[in-house]
Amino acid sequence: MSKSRKGVWLLLLWLLLASCSQIERPPKPPQAAQGVLDLQNWDFNENGQVDLSGEWVFYWQELLNPSQIGETTDFIYASVPNNWTAYEVNGQMLPPEGYGTFRLTVHLPDPKQAYGLFIEGEGTAYNLWVDGKLLAQNGKVAASAQDMVPQSKPEVVFFQPEGDTTEFVIQISNWQHRKAGFRNDILLGLASQIHQDQRDHWAEDAFVMGVFLIMGLYHLFIFGFRPGDKGPLYFAIWSFINFIRAGLLNQKLFIFFFPAMSWELALHIEYLTFFFSAPIYAIFIRELYPRDIPRRVMQIVLGLGIAFSVFMFFISTLTLSYIPTIYQGIIILEMIYFAFFIRRILVNKREGAVYIAVGSIIAFAGIISEILYLQNISAFKASSVYTFLAFILIQAVLLSSRLSKSFHRVEVLSDKLEEANISLLESEKKYRSIFEESKDMIFIAGIDEHIKAANPASKDVLGYTLDELRSMKLSDLLVDQQDKDKVEKILSKQDSVKDIELELKRKDSRRIHGLVTLTIRKDESGNATELQGNIHDVSSRIQAESERVRAMEFEKLAITDPLTHVYNRRVFDEIAVKELTRALRGGSNFSIVLLDIDHFKQINDTYGHAVGDQVLIQLAKLCLANTRSMDIFARYGGEEFVILMPDTGQDSAFQSMERLRMIIQEAPMAANEGADIFVTVSMGIAEMDVQDTTDIQTILEHADRALYTSKESGRNRVTVWSKKD
C-alpha cells in the first residue's frame, strides 16, 4: 500500500471518529424528579452544562402563564425530553395535535451568577418564562391550528436568578408535525458557557456549510472548463444540496439569515434535500462507473426521489412528517444495493475505488446512525451532514494528491519554521525588555513560596536585593498573615489572583499598599510548578485618596451646619453679599426671609434637647423640599433660619412663604412616646430696595422687624416689612 493511500486511510478514519465520537462526559448531572431539579451541589465551572431532563410537571390542553400555575391541579409528571404522544392522560395516549404547559423548579448553586439556556427548538411553537419573565418565543402558541404559527429554530437566552430557586414554564402547541411537545433537551449553563457554545456551534455549522459551498463552486468551475465530464456537475449539485441541508439543520443558520422564511417552507426545502440526496449521489457514482451500475437501477432511485418530492406538495405538513420514515426504509435498501456495488468496483480495481468506497461507507454509517436516532432506537445523536462532509473531503484528497508536490510542501513548512524561530527570538527579546524595565516588581516563586527570581524593580518597590529575596518566602512580605489565607483560598478555586490589594512591608520597615497579581504555572501534565506574579505599588494613590477625603470632610464642615446639614450663617453671609452685588449691577431684586420656630424653648423644656434637635432637622428637610433650588436656605442661629430668594419680590415671596408655613404647621416634626409633635413658625420678609438698600445687614434688620411683628401679632404668620414699620 502506497504512503499516500495510507495517509488517506488515516484521514478518513479520523473523520469517521470525529463524526461519531463522544466527548468524555463529566459526572452525570441530577435528573428532575416530580417537577424539581436540585443543582445546588453542581459545579458548572468544573462539570459543565446540564440538560434539564427528567420529570417535568405537565398540564395537557392548558396554556398557563406563571401566574396561573397554582390555579389548577390537573397535571401529570412527564418525562422530558420526549414526544407527548408517549404520555398517557386519563388512560389515553395523547395525539400529536394539541397544546400544553410544562413547568420545572430548579435549585441553582449560586443565585448571583448569570446563567444561560440553549433551546434547540420544541414542536412546533413555544413560549418560555424564567422566574415569571417571558424570555423566548418560537412561533406563535395557540389553542387551535388556525391561530398557531409554527417555528423551530435554536434560541439562546440569558437570565439572572432572583434567588436560589428558579421556575421554568414552557407553553407548547403543535398541529403540524408528528413529533409534538418537549422533544429536545434544554441546556442550562453559565452565561459564558452557553455563549461560547453558541459561538462554537455557529462556527462549526458555518465551517461545514462553507466546505460544501466551496466544494460545490469548485467542481462547478471544473465542469465549466470540462463540460464533457458530467461527474463534477453532479458532485457540485450534491454539494449544494448538502449546503442547503446543513443550513436547515442543527443551528438552522438559514432561518437566521432569512427570518421571513416560514416554517412550512423550511420543512419542505429540508425534505426536498433529503429526498434528492440519494438520487444525485447515485447519478454521480454512475457517471464515474457507468459500466457497474445498470440504467434501470438509476431510473428507480431517481423516480422514487422525484415521486416523494412531488407528493409532499399535495399533503399537509402533519401527514408529510410521517413520510421520511418510509423513505428512510427505501434509503436503507438503496444502501444495501450500493454496498454490493462498492464491492464490485473494489474487486474490479476501478480507479479511485478505494477512496469512493471508504467515503461511501462513512456516509452510510452516518445515515444509519441518524435514522436509528430519529426512530428512537438509539440514544446516540448523530448527523449525516458530517459524514457527507467526509465524502466530500475525499474528492479534495484525490485532487490534492494529483496536483500537489511533496517537495513544495516541505519548502513551505521550512519557510514557516524559519519565520516562527525569528518571531520566537523577537518575542523573547521583547519580554526580556519588559521584565528588566518594568516599574512593577515581577517575580517567580516555587510552590513552597520561596522566591526564585525577581526583576530590578524589586529594589525600588520593597528595598530588597535579588539575593535577599531568594532567601525569603512570599508570606515574609505580608504585614497581616491573614492575607496569606485569603490568597490561598482564592488560588484553591482558580489558577490566578488579579489585582488584590495587600499591605506589604519593606526592608526599612515601612508599609506599602500593593496591587498583587498571582498566577499558577503548570507543566504539560497540569501539575502546578511555580507561582508567577507582579506587585504594583499604589501607596501614593491610597495616601492621596485619603487626603482628598479628609479635605472634603473639612470643607463640608466649614460650610454646613453640623446638626441640620444646611448652609451655616457664615456661608449665607458670603452668598448674600454676592447676590446683592449681582442685583445692584443687573437691576434685579431679591427677598430675604427670617423664619423662627414658635415656642421652641418650650419643646426643649418639655421633651428634651434630643427631640428639639429632631424638630430642627425635620424642619430643615421640609424647607429644603418646599423651596426652589435657586433659593439659599441656611440656619441662622438656634431655632432661627434664613432664606434668600433671588429675583423674587415681596409679594411672590409672601405667597411662597405662606404656603410653606401651612405645610409646616400640618407636618409632624418629631414623635414622643408615640405622639406626633407639631410646631408653627413665624416669618418676616424684607425685599431689597435698590433706592434705599446698600448692604445686606439693612435688609436683614428689616426682615427681623417683620419677624418681630409676626410674633407680636400672635405668631404662626408671615409679615412683610414696609417703610411704615
Side-chain angles (χ1 to χ4, degrees), residues 365-422:
I367 293 171
I368 292 172
S369 296
E370 184 172 351
I371 290 174
L372 293 176
Y373 173 78
L374 293 174
Q375 296 303 320
N376 296 323
I377 299 173
S378 169
F380 174 69
K381 187 176 183 180
S383 176
S384 59
V385 170
Y386 300 106
T387 52
F388 288 167
L389 181 64
F391 185 86
I392 282 186
L393 291 179
I394 290 173
Q395 297 302 305
V397 172
L398 287 171
L399 292 172
S400 63
S401 65
R402 298 171 183 173
L403 302 176
S404 302
K405 294 182 179 179
S406 299
F407 180 74
H408 175 69
R409 286 200 293 266
V410 170
E411 284 185 334
V412 171
L413 290 174
S414 297
D415 292 342
K416 290 184 177 180
L417 181 61
E418 183 177 356
E419 292 175 1
N421 287 333
I422 293 173

Side-chain angles (χ1 to χ4, degrees), residues 459-518:
K459 178 70 174 176
D460 299 327
V461 176
L462 295 174
Y464 293 101
T465 64
L466 178 57
D467 291 336
E468 290 172 331
L469 287 172
R470 284 174 177 165
S471 63
M472 301 173 65
K473 300 175 69 173
L474 292 176
S475 56
D476 296 335
L477 304 175
L478 297 174
V479 172
D480 187 351
Q481 290 301 311
Q482 290 183 352
D483 287 343
K484 176 183 177 182
D485 298 333
K486 180 168 64 175
V487 173
E488 288 179 347
K489 185 177 181 180
I490 297 175
L491 289 177
S492 67
K493 298 180 180 179
Q494 56 194 48
D495 292 340
S496 64
V497 177
K498 186 176 181 181
D499 290 342
I500 182 172
E501 187 175 322
L502 302 175
E503 194 173 9
L504 308 172
K505 52 188 175 185
R506 288 173 46 90
K507 182 180 179 181
D508 56 11
S509 298
R510 286 194 297 115
R511 297 183 177 186
I512 67 169
H513 291 271
L515 288 181
V516 179
T517 297
L518 277 175

Side-chain angles (χ1 to χ4, degrees), residues 626-642:
N626 290 278
T627 53
R628 302 171 302 178
S629 59
M630 63 188 291
D631 295 336
I632 308 302
F633 179 73
R635 185 180 180 189
Y636 211 57
E639 68 272 22
E640 194 171 46
F641 295 86
V642 62

Side-chain angles (χ1 to χ4, degrees), residues 670-706:
N672 183 66
E673 297 181 354
D676 291 334
I677 298 174
F678 295 84
V679 299
T680 61
V681 295
S682 298
M683 303 185 200
I685 301 174
E687 180 182 1
M688 185 207 81
D689 189 335
V690 179
Q691 304 298 327
D692 300 336
T693 305
T694 58
D695 61 85
I696 288 295
Q697 192 58 40
T698 300
I699 305 174
L700 286 168
E701 289 176 358
H702 293 167
D704 189 55
R705 291 178 189 173

